[in-house]
Amino acid sequence: MVTGIGGELGSLVAALLEDEPWVGQIEGLDTNPPRRRLKRSAFHLVDHSHRSRISEIISTFNPHVLIHLAIWEPHARLNTTAAKIHSDGLALGVIDAANEIPALESLIIRSGVEVYGTYGHWPQLPDEESLLDPQSTFGQMLVRLEQQTAAVATARGAAIAQLRLGTVIGPHVPSPLGRLLRLPAVPFNPLGNPKFSVIGHQDAARAIIAAAHHHAHGIANISADGSISVSAAAGIGRRLALPVIGPAWWLTRTVSGIAGAPVPDHVSELLQHGRGALCTTSTELFGFTPLLTTTEVITRLYAWPNIVRVPSQRKVA
């Protein structure tokens, strides 16, 4: 069972699972239909507020492996308030079901390196045993999800893999950081020029599938090798790197939002302080290593074609 199968990452995971010989029946649920064609995955359309319906769908299917990807990053597709409501609502239905389904063997949870908060500020690189100190709404959402699902797994005696992903970047992945980096001018902190890491969408999907295949149990940071500063990233894309200090960040966030790239607090945190993590357990737990480095992911970000608006050829009454 894949929750969040309607999103870019969820539908990619489902598509790749369909080609895995060890995978039997696949079902998924989300508040929107999948964004790619799936050959043999059954899809259930649900509302985030229908907790009992979410639980019923999962319980009826009775999966051995439950992959929970239905977490809305603030300002990816929804604003911060809506993202929190949607994520929390769907998680409650998933937790209800996980407490009941008899076949459950393994839980795979999408989390993020935002959980480290100030402990993840450059040049600090937290590992999986580092303290959690989320200052952002997204980081707090993810910590709460980790705590709730860990309690369920412990009670059920099931394996649980909590995958703390770096910012996921891909051609169709709705990413507030990705949108910001593609603006003509990109704000950065000139004081120390902090660095950050990301993860390509294909690598993120591979990590999720590997964790499911191995029934992994534990916490794993999932980020591409290497790091890059915001100014260096802007240079790759031939964007203007705009130095910003102190109170000017408020104005920068306002202007960026007007330009179509809202800056939620976890992205503002990354721009001002950087964000990274040491990936020390993923190879041991489920044999995963990323194929692309952070610089390669950012280079591909700028290689995507821009939207070209084509005017109509004739007037229509």
Side-chain angles (χ1 to χ4, degrees), residues 8-31:
E8 173 62 22
L9 181 59
S11 60
L12 175 58
V13 167
L16 295 176
L17 284 171
E18 290 183 338
D19 295 329
E20 291 289 336
W22 55 272
V23 177
Q25 188 178 354
I26 306 170
E27 292 194 13
L29 59 83
D30 207 335
T31 58

mmCIF file with all atom_site columns, all heavy atoms in Angstrom, residues 8-31:
data_model
loop_
_atom_site.group_PDB
_atom_site.id
_atom_site.type_symbol
_atom_site.label_atom_id
_atom_site.label_alt_id
_atom_site.label_comp_id
_atom_site.label_asym_id
_atom_site.label_entity_id
_atom_site.label_seq_id
_atom_site.pdbx_PDB_ins_code
_atom_site.Cartn_x
_atom_site.Cartn_y
_atom_site.Cartn_z
_atom_site.occupancy
_atom_site.B_iso_or_equiv
_atom_site.pdbx_formal_charge
_atom_site.auth_seq_id
_atom_site.auth_comp_id
_atom_site.auth_asym_id
_atom_site.auth_atom_id
_atom_site.pdbx_PDB_model_num
ATOM 1   N N   . GLU A 1 8  ? 4.040  13.271  -7.330  1.00 0.00 ? 8  GLU A N   1
ATOM 2   C CA  . GLU A 1 8  ? 5.104  12.880  -8.252  1.00 0.00 ? 8  GLU A CA  1
ATOM 3   C C   . GLU A 1 8  ? 5.974  11.772  -7.670  1.00 0.00 ? 8  GLU A C   1
ATOM 4   O O   . GLU A 1 8  ? 6.261  10.777  -8.337  1.00 0.00 ? 8  GLU A O   1
ATOM 5   C CB  . GLU A 1 8  ? 5.970  14.101  -8.592  1.00 0.00 ? 8  GLU A CB  1
ATOM 6   C CG  . GLU A 1 8  ? 7.205  13.796  -9.418  1.00 0.00 ? 8  GLU A CG  1
ATOM 7   C CD  . GLU A 1 8  ? 6.900  13.201  -10.789 1.00 0.00 ? 8  GLU A CD  1
ATOM 8   O OE1 . GLU A 1 8  ? 5.771  13.401  -11.287 1.00 0.00 ? 8  GLU A OE1 1
ATOM 9   O OE2 . GLU A 1 8  ? 7.774  12.530  -11.346 1.00 0.00 ? 8  GLU A OE2 1
ATOM 10  N N   . LEU A 1 9  ? 6.370  11.912  -6.409  1.00 0.00 ? 9  LEU A N   1
ATOM 11  C CA  . LEU A 1 9  ? 7.217  10.887  -5.796  1.00 0.00 ? 9  LEU A CA  1
ATOM 12  C C   . LEU A 1 9  ? 6.434  9.592   -5.583  1.00 0.00 ? 9  LEU A C   1
ATOM 13  O O   . LEU A 1 9  ? 6.928  8.500   -5.869  1.00 0.00 ? 9  LEU A O   1
ATOM 14  C CB  . LEU A 1 9  ? 7.787  11.394  -4.470  1.00 0.00 ? 9  LEU A CB  1
ATOM 15  C CG  . LEU A 1 9  ? 8.723  10.439  -3.724  1.00 0.00 ? 9  LEU A CG  1
ATOM 16  C CD1 . LEU A 1 9  ? 9.922  10.068  -4.588  1.00 0.00 ? 9  LEU A CD1 1
ATOM 17  C CD2 . LEU A 1 9  ? 9.180  11.052  -2.403  1.00 0.00 ? 9  LEU A CD2 1
ATOM 18  N N   . GLY A 1 10 ? 5.204  9.695   -5.090  1.00 0.00 ? 10 GLY A N   1
ATOM 19  C CA  . GLY A 1 10 ? 4.401  8.509   -4.841  1.00 0.00 ? 10 GLY A CA  1
ATOM 20  C C   . GLY A 1 10 ? 4.090  7.729   -6.097  1.00 0.00 ? 10 GLY A C   1
ATOM 21  O O   . GLY A 1 10 ? 4.168  6.491   -6.114  1.00 0.00 ? 10 GLY A O   1
ATOM 22  N N   . SER A 1 11 ? 3.741  8.431   -7.168  1.00 0.00 ? 11 SER A N   1
ATOM 23  C CA  . SER A 1 11 ? 3.429  7.737   -8.420  1.00 0.00 ? 11 SER A CA  1
ATOM 24  C C   . SER A 1 11 ? 4.683  7.132   -9.042  1.00 0.00 ? 11 SER A C   1
ATOM 25  O O   . SER A 1 11 ? 4.626  6.073   -9.674  1.00 0.00 ? 11 SER A O   1
ATOM 26  C CB  . SER A 1 11 ? 2.740  8.690   -9.415  1.00 0.00 ? 11 SER A CB  1
ATOM 27  O OG  . SER A 1 11 ? 3.562  9.798   -9.722  1.00 0.00 ? 11 SER A OG  1
ATOM 28  N N   . LEU A 1 12 ? 5.843  7.783   -8.848  1.00 0.00 ? 12 LEU A N   1
ATOM 29  C CA  . LEU A 1 12 ? 7.102  7.222   -9.329  1.00 0.00 ? 12 LEU A CA  1
ATOM 30  C C   . LEU A 1 12 ? 7.440  5.947   -8.562  1.00 0.00 ? 12 LEU A C   1
ATOM 31  O O   . LEU A 1 12 ? 7.851  4.936   -9.160  1.00 0.00 ? 12 LEU A O   1
ATOM 32  C CB  . LEU A 1 12 ? 8.221  8.246   -9.181  1.00 0.00 ? 12 LEU A CB  1
ATOM 33  C CG  . LEU A 1 12 ? 9.639  7.768   -9.524  1.00 0.00 ? 12 LEU A CG  1
ATOM 34  C CD1 . LEU A 1 12 ? 9.717  7.261   -10.961 1.00 0.00 ? 12 LEU A CD1 1
ATOM 35  C CD2 . LEU A 1 12 ? 10.653 8.884   -9.289  1.00 0.00 ? 12 LEU A CD2 1
ATOM 36  N N   . VAL A 1 13 ? 7.268  5.966   -7.254  1.00 0.00 ? 13 VAL A N   1
ATOM 37  C CA  . VAL A 1 13 ? 7.514  4.772   -6.443  1.00 0.00 ? 13 VAL A CA  1
ATOM 38  C C   . VAL A 1 13 ? 6.611  3.629   -6.891  1.00 0.00 ? 13 VAL A C   1
ATOM 39  O O   . VAL A 1 13 ? 7.063  2.487   -7.074  1.00 0.00 ? 13 VAL A O   1
ATOM 40  C CB  . VAL A 1 13 ? 7.294  5.079   -4.946  1.00 0.00 ? 13 VAL A CB  1
ATOM 41  C CG1 . VAL A 1 13 ? 7.227  3.796   -4.125  1.00 0.00 ? 13 VAL A CG1 1
ATOM 42  C CG2 . VAL A 1 13 ? 8.408  5.978   -4.416  1.00 0.00 ? 13 VAL A CG2 1
ATOM 43  N N   . ALA A 1 14 ? 5.337  3.914   -7.111  1.00 0.00 ? 14 ALA A N   1
ATOM 44  C CA  . ALA A 1 14 ? 4.403  2.872   -7.544  1.00 0.00 ? 14 ALA A CA  1
ATOM 45  C C   . ALA A 1 14 ? 4.793  2.313   -8.907  1.00 0.00 ? 14 ALA A C   1
ATOM 46  O O   . ALA A 1 14 ? 4.754  1.094   -9.134  1.00 0.00 ? 14 ALA A O   1
ATOM 47  C CB  . ALA A 1 14 ? 2.983  3.432   -7.588  1.00 0.00 ? 14 ALA A CB  1
ATOM 48  N N   . ALA A 1 15 ? 5.180  3.197   -9.827  1.00 0.00 ? 15 ALA A N   1
ATOM 49  C CA  . ALA A 1 15 ? 5.570  2.748   -11.166 1.00 0.00 ? 15 ALA A CA  1
ATOM 50  C C   . ALA A 1 15 ? 6.790  1.832   -11.114 1.00 0.00 ? 15 ALA A C   1
ATOM 51  O O   . ALA A 1 15 ? 6.856  0.823   -11.830 1.00 0.00 ? 15 ALA A O   1
ATOM 52  C CB  . ALA A 1 15 ? 5.840  3.951   -12.063 1.00 0.00 ? 15 ALA A CB  1
ATOM 53  N N   . LEU A 1 16 ? 7.751  2.173   -10.275 1.00 0.00 ? 16 LEU A N   1
ATOM 54  C CA  . LEU A 1 16 ? 8.945  1.338   -10.143 1.00 0.00 ? 16 LEU A CA  1
ATOM 55  C C   . LEU A 1 16 ? 8.638  0.027   -9.421  1.00 0.00 ? 16 LEU A C   1
ATOM 56  O O   . LEU A 1 16 ? 9.190  -1.018  -9.758  1.00 0.00 ? 16 LEU A O   1
ATOM 57  C CB  . LEU A 1 16 ? 10.037 2.107   -9.408  1.00 0.00 ? 16 LEU A CB  1
ATOM 58  C CG  . LEU A 1 16 ? 10.597 3.347   -10.129 1.00 0.00 ? 16 LEU A CG  1
ATOM 59  C CD1 . LEU A 1 16 ? 11.612 4.070   -9.252  1.00 0.00 ? 16 LEU A CD1 1
ATOM 60  C CD2 . LEU A 1 16 ? 11.213 2.975   -11.463 1.00 0.00 ? 16 LEU A CD2 1
ATOM 61  N N   . LEU A 1 17 ? 7.740  0.066   -8.445  1.00 0.00 ? 17 LEU A N   1
ATOM 62  C CA  . LEU A 1 17 ? 7.339  -1.154  -7.739  1.00 0.00 ? 17 LEU A CA  1
ATOM 63  C C   . LEU A 1 17 ? 6.672  -2.144  -8.685  1.00 0.00 ? 17 LEU A C   1
ATOM 64  O O   . LEU A 1 17 ? 6.804  -3.363  -8.526  1.00 0.00 ? 17 LEU A O   1
ATOM 65  C CB  . LEU A 1 17 ? 6.382  -0.819  -6.590  1.00 0.00 ? 17 LEU A CB  1
ATOM 66  C CG  . LEU A 1 17 ? 6.990  -0.220  -5.325  1.00 0.00 ? 17 LEU A CG  1
ATOM 67  C CD1 . LEU A 1 17 ? 5.894  0.246   -4.380  1.00 0.00 ? 17 LEU A CD1 1
ATOM 68  C CD2 . LEU A 1 17 ? 7.909  -1.209  -4.621  1.00 0.00 ? 17 LEU A CD2 1
ATOM 69  N N   . GLU A 1 18 ? 5.956  -1.635  -9.679  1.00 0.00 ? 18 GLU A N   1
ATOM 70  C CA  . GLU A 1 18 ? 5.262  -2.513  -10.626 1.00 0.00 ? 18 GLU A CA  1
ATOM 71  C C   . GLU A 1 18 ? 6.232  -3.399  -11.404 1.00 0.00 ? 18 GLU A C   1
ATOM 72  O O   . GLU A 1 18 ? 5.856  -4.472  -11.875 1.00 0.00 ? 18 GLU A O   1
ATOM 73  C CB  . GLU A 1 18 ? 4.424  -1.674  -11.595 1.00 0.00 ? 18 GLU A CB  1
ATOM 74  C CG  . GLU A 1 18 ? 3.226  -1.025  -10.948 1.00 0.00 ? 18 GLU A CG  1
ATOM 75  C CD  . GLU A 1 18 ? 2.352  -0.256  -11.920 1.00 0.00 ? 18 GLU A CD  1
ATOM 76  O OE1 . GLU A 1 18 ? 2.877  0.131   -13.002 1.00 0.00 ? 18 GLU A OE1 1
ATOM 77  O OE2 . GLU A 1 18 ? 1.169  -0.027  -11.634 1.00 0.00 ? 18 GLU A OE2 1
ATOM 78  N N   . ASP A 1 19 ? 7.469  -2.950  -11.526 1.00 0.00 ? 19 ASP A N   1
ATOM 79  C CA  . ASP A 1 19 ? 8.464  -3.726  -12.273 1.00 0.00 ? 19 ASP A CA  1
ATOM 80  C C   . ASP A 1 19 ? 9.325  -4.611  -11.370 1.00 0.00 ? 19 ASP A C   1
ATOM 81  O O   . ASP A 1 19 ? 10.221 -5.307  -11.860 1.00 0.00 ? 19 ASP A O   1
ATOM 82  C CB  . ASP A 1 19 ? 9.382  -2.774  -13.054 1.00 0.00 ? 19 ASP A CB  1
ATOM 83  C CG  . ASP A 1 19 ? 8.632  -2.014  -14.142 1.00 0.00 ? 19 ASP A CG  1
ATOM 84  O OD1 . ASP A 1 19 ? 7.664  -2.572  -14.697 1.00 0.00 ? 19 ASP A OD1 1
ATOM 85  O OD2 . ASP A 1 19 ? 9.014  -0.863  -14.430 1.00 0.00 ? 19 ASP A OD2 1
ATOM 86  N N   . GLU A 1 20 ? 9.063  -4.594  -10.066 1.00 0.00 ? 20 GLU A N   1
ATOM 87  C CA  . GLU A 1 20 ? 9.848  -5.393  -9.137  1.00 0.00 ? 20 GLU A CA  1
ATOM 88  C C   . GLU A 1 20 ? 9.261  -6.804  -9.026  1.00 0.00 ? 20 GLU A C   1
ATOM 89  O O   . GLU A 1 20 ? 8.070  -6.952  -8.737  1.00 0.00 ? 20 GLU A O   1
ATOM 90  C CB  . GLU A 1 20 ? 9.874  -4.740  -7.753  1.00 0.00 ? 20 GLU A CB  1
ATOM 91  C CG  . GLU A 1 20 ? 10.657 -3.439  -7.693  1.00 0.00 ? 20 GLU A CG  1
ATOM 92  C CD  . GLU A 1 20 ? 12.156 -3.656  -7.824  1.00 0.00 ? 20 GLU A CD  1
ATOM 93  O OE1 . GLU A 1 20 ? 12.631 -4.770  -7.508  1.00 0.00 ? 20 GLU A OE1 1
ATOM 94  O OE2 . GLU A 1 20 ? 12.852 -2.718  -8.234  1.00 0.00 ? 20 GLU A OE2 1
ATOM 95  N N   . PRO A 1 21 ? 10.070 -7.850  -9.240  1.00 0.00 ? 21 PRO A N   1
ATOM 96  C CA  . PRO A 1 21 ? 9.543  -9.214  -9.212  1.00 0.00 ? 21 PRO A CA  1
ATOM 97  C C   . PRO A 1 21 ? 9.066  -9.670  -7.838  1.00 0.00 ? 21 PRO A C   1
ATOM 98  O O   . PRO A 1 21 ? 8.264  -10.596 -7.737  1.00 0.00 ? 21 PRO A O   1
ATOM 99  C CB  . PRO A 1 21 ? 10.731 -10.053 -9.692  1.00 0.00 ? 21 PRO A CB  1
ATOM 100 C CG  . PRO A 1 21 ? 11.945 -9.228  -9.388  1.00 0.00 ? 21 PRO A CG  1
ATOM 101 C CD  . PRO A 1 21 ? 11.517 -7.810  -9.575  1.00 0.00 ? 21 PRO A CD  1
ATOM 102 N N   . TRP A 1 22 ? 9.544  -9.037  -6.774  1.00 0.00 ? 22 TRP A N   1
ATOM 103 C CA  . TRP A 1 22 ? 9.161  -9.441  -5.424  1.00 0.00 ? 22 TRP A CA  1
ATOM 104 C C   . TRP A 1 22 ? 7.856  -8.804  -4.960  1.00 0.00 ? 22 TRP A C   1
ATOM 105 O O   . TRP A 1 22 ? 7.340  -9.133  -3.879  1.00 0.00 ? 22 TRP A O   1
ATOM 106 C CB  . TRP A 1 22 ? 10.265 -9.101  -4.424  1.00 0.00 ? 22 TRP A CB  1
ATOM 107 C CG  . TRP A 1 22 ? 10.676 -7.655  -4.425  1.00 0.00 ? 22 TRP A CG  1
ATOM 108 C CD1 . TRP A 1 22 ? 11.626 -7.061  -5.212  1.00 0.00 ? 22 TRP A CD1 1
ATOM 109 C CD2 . TRP A 1 22 ? 10.140 -6.603  -3.604  1.00 0.00 ? 22 TRP A CD2 1
ATOM 110 N NE1 . TRP A 1 22 ? 11.712 -5.716  -4.933  1.00 0.00 ? 22 TRP A NE1 1
ATOM 111 C CE2 . TRP A 1 22 ? 10.819 -5.414  -3.952  1.00 0.00 ? 22 TRP A CE2 1
ATOM 112 C CE3 . TRP A 1 22 ? 9.167  -6.554  -2.614  1.00 0.00 ? 22 TRP A CE3 1
ATOM 113 C CZ2 . TRP A 1 22 ? 10.542 -4.189  -3.341  1.00 0.00 ? 22 TRP A CZ2 1
ATOM 114 C CZ3 . TRP A 1 22 ? 8.882  -5.337  -2.004  1.00 0.00 ? 22 TRP A CZ3 1
ATOM 115 C CH2 . TRP A 1 22 ? 9.568  -4.166  -2.368  1.00 0.00 ? 22 TRP A CH2 1
ATOM 116 N N   . VAL A 1 23 ? 7.298  -7.901  -5.777  1.00 0.00 ? 23 VAL A N   1
ATOM 117 C CA  . VAL A 1 23 ? 6.085  -7.178  -5.385  1.00 0.00 ? 23 VAL A CA  1
ATOM 118 C C   . VAL A 1 23 ? 4.854  -7.854  -5.987  1.00 0.00 ? 23 VAL A C   1
ATOM 119 O O   . VAL A 1 23 ? 4.804  -8.103  -7.195  1.00 0.00 ? 23 VAL A O   1
ATOM 120 C CB  . VAL A 1 23 ? 6.151  -5.706  -5.850  1.00 0.00 ? 23 VAL A CB  1
ATOM 121 C CG1 . VAL A 1 23 ? 4.849  -4.981  -5.513  1.00 0.00 ? 23 VAL A CG1 1
ATOM 122 C CG2 . VAL A 1 23 ? 7.327  -4.997  -5.198  1.00 0.00 ? 23 VAL A CG2 1
ATOM 123 N N   . GLY A 1 24 ? 3.871  -8.138  -5.144  1.00 0.00 ? 24 GLY A N   1
ATOM 124 C CA  . GLY A 1 24 ? 2.619  -8.703  -5.620  1.00 0.00 ? 24 GLY A CA  1
ATOM 125 C C   . GLY A 1 24 ? 1.625  -7.602  -5.937  1.00 0.00 ? 24 GLY A C   1
ATOM 126 O O   . GLY A 1 24 ? 1.895  -6.703  -6.728  1.00 0.00 ? 24 GLY A O   1
ATOM 127 N N   . GLN A 1 25 ? 0.486  -7.627  -5.283  1.00 0.00 ? 25 GLN A N   1
ATOM 128 C CA  . GLN A 1 25 ? -0.561 -6.643  -5.532  1.00 0.00 ? 25 GLN A CA  1
ATOM 129 C C   . GLN A 1 25 ? -0.166 -5.286  -4.959  1.00 0.00 ? 25 GLN A C   1
ATOM 130 O O   . GLN A 1 25 ? 0.463  -5.202  -3.894  1.00 0.00 ? 25 GLN A O   1
ATOM 131 C CB  . GLN A 1 25 ? -1.868 -7.127  -4.908  1.00 0.00 ? 25 GLN A CB  1
ATOM 132 C CG  . GLN A 1 25 ? -3.085 -6.280  -5.268  1.00 0.00 ? 25 GLN A CG  1
ATOM 133 C CD  . GLN A 1 25 ? -4.365 -6.847  -4.662  1.00 0.00 ? 25 GLN A CD  1
ATOM 134 O OE1 . GLN A 1 25 ? -4.340 -7.931  -4.062  1.00 0.00 ? 25 GLN A OE1 1
ATOM 135 N NE2 . GLN A 1 25 ? -5.461 -6.132  -4.803  1.00 0.00 ? 25 GLN A NE2 1
ATOM 136 N N   . ILE A 1 26 ? -0.526 -4.227  -5.665  1.00 0.00 ? 26 ILE A N   1
ATOM 137 C CA  . ILE A 1 26 ? -0.228 -2.854  -5.228  1.00 0.00 ? 26 ILE A CA  1
ATOM 138 C C   . ILE A 1 26 ? -1.513 -2.044  -5.206  1.00 0.00 ? 26 ILE A C   1
ATOM 139 O O   . ILE A 1 26 ? -2.282 -2.064  -6.183  1.00 0.00 ? 26 ILE A O   1
ATOM 140 C CB  . ILE A 1 26 ? 0.781  -2.162  -6.167  1.00 0.00 ? 26 ILE A CB  1
ATOM 141 C CG1 . ILE A 1 26 ? 2.050  -2.995  -6.339  1.00 0.00 ? 26 ILE A CG1 1
ATOM 142 C CG2 . ILE A 1 26 ? 1.127  -0.764  -5.646  1.00 0.00 ? 26 ILE A CG2 1
ATOM 143 C CD1 . ILE A 1 26 ? 2.966  -2.468  -7.442  1.00 0.00 ? 26 ILE A CD1 1
ATOM 144 N N   . GLU A 1 27 ? -1.756 -1.340  -4.128  1.00 0.00 ? 27 GLU A N   1
ATOM 145 C CA  . GLU A 1 27 ? -2.843 -0.375  -4.062  1.00 0.00 ? 27 GLU A CA  1
ATOM 146 C C   . GLU A 1 27 ? -2.304 0.917   -3.483  1.00 0.00 ? 27 GLU A C   1
ATOM 147 O O   . GLU A 1 27 ? -1.278 0.925   -2.785  1.00 0.00 ? 27 GLU A O   1
ATOM 148 C CB  . GLU A 1 27 ? -4.010 -0.894  -3.218  1.00 0.00 ? 27 GLU A CB  1
ATOM 149 C CG  . GLU A 1 27 ? -4.742 -2.071  -3.854  1.00 0.00 ? 27 GLU A CG  1
ATOM 150 C CD  . GLU A 1 27 ? -6.076 -2.372  -3.194  1.00 0.00 ? 27 GLU A CD  1
ATOM 151 O OE1 . GLU A 1 27 ? -6.553 -1.527  -2.404  1.00 0.00 ? 27 GLU A OE1 1
ATOM 152 O OE2 . GLU A 1 27 ? -6.640 -3.450  -3.470  1.00 0.00 ? 27 GLU A OE2 1
ATOM 153 N N   . GLY A 1 28 ? -2.983 2.007   -3.798  1.00 0.00 ? 28 GLY A N   1
ATOM 154 C CA  . GLY A 1 28 ? -2.561 3.299   -3.288  1.00 0.00 ? 28 GLY A CA  1
ATOM 155 C C   . GLY A 1 28 ? -3.747 4.205   -3.075  1.00 0.00 ? 28 GLY A C   1
ATOM 156 O O   . GLY A 1 28 ? -4.827 3.982   -3.627  1.00 0.00 ? 28 GLY A O   1
ATOM 157 N N   . LEU A 1 29 ? -3.550 5.228   -2.277  1.00 0.00 ? 29 LEU A N   1
ATOM 158 C CA  . LEU A 1 29 ? -4.609 6.202   -2.049  1.00 0.00 ? 29 LEU A CA  1
ATOM 159 C C   . LEU A 1 29 ? -4.015 7.596   -1.978  1.00 0.00 ? 29 LEU A C   1
ATOM 160 O O   . LEU A 1 29 ? -2.848 7.786   -1.650  1.00 0.00 ? 29 LEU A O   1
ATOM 161 C CB  . LEU A 1 29 ? -5.402 5.868   -0.783  1.00 0.00 ? 29 LEU A CB  1
ATOM 162 C CG  . LEU A 1 29 ? -4.674 5.797   0.565   1.00 0.00 ? 29 LEU A CG  1
ATOM 163 C CD1 . LEU A 1 29 ? -4.484 7.171   1.206   1.00 0.00 ? 29 LEU A CD1 1
ATOM 164 C CD2 . LEU A 1 29 ? -5.427 4.904   1.526   1.00 0.00 ? 29 LEU A CD2 1
ATOM 165 N N   . ASP A 1 30 ? -4.849 8.575   -2.313  1.00 0.00 ? 30 ASP A N   1
ATOM 166 C CA  . ASP A 1 30 ? -4.418 9.966   -2.262  1.00 0.00 ? 30 ASP A CA  1
ATOM 167 C C   . ASP A 1 30 ? -5.638 10.850  -2.464  1.00 0.00 ? 30 ASP A C   1
ATOM 168 O O   . ASP A 1 30 ? -6.722 10.379  -2.820  1.00 0.00 ? 30 ASP A O   1
ATOM 169 C CB  . ASP A 1 30 ? -3.363 10.265  -3.332  1.00 0.00 ? 30 ASP A CB  1
ATOM 170 C CG  . ASP A 1 30 ? -2.429 11.417  -2.935  1.00 0.00 ? 30 ASP A CG  1
ATOM 171 O OD1 . ASP A 1 30 ? -2.839 12.266  -2.126  1.00 0.00 ? 30 ASP A OD1 1
ATOM 172 O OD2 . ASP A 1 30 ? -1.283 11.458  -3.426  1.00 0.00 ? 30 ASP A OD2 1
ATOM 173 N N   . THR A 1 31 ? -5.420 12.154  -2.279  1.00 0.00 ? 31 THR A N   1
ATOM 174 C CA  . THR A 1 31 ? -6.500 13.120  -2.484  1.00 0.00 ? 31 THR A CA  1
ATOM 175 C C   . THR A 1 31 ? -6.582 13.570  -3.935  1.00 0.00 ? 31 THR A C   1
ATOM 176 O O   . THR A 1 31 ? -7.501 14.293  -4.304  1.00 0.00 ? 31 THR A O   1
ATOM 177 C CB  . THR A 1 31 ? -6.286 14.350  -1.588  1.00 0.00 ? 31 THR A CB  1
ATOM 178 O OG1 . THR A 1 31 ? -5.014 14.936  -1.877  1.00 0.00 ? 31 THR A OG1 1
ATOM 179 C CG2 . THR A 1 31 ? -6.314 13.950  -0.118  1.00 0.00 ? 31 THR A CG2 1
#
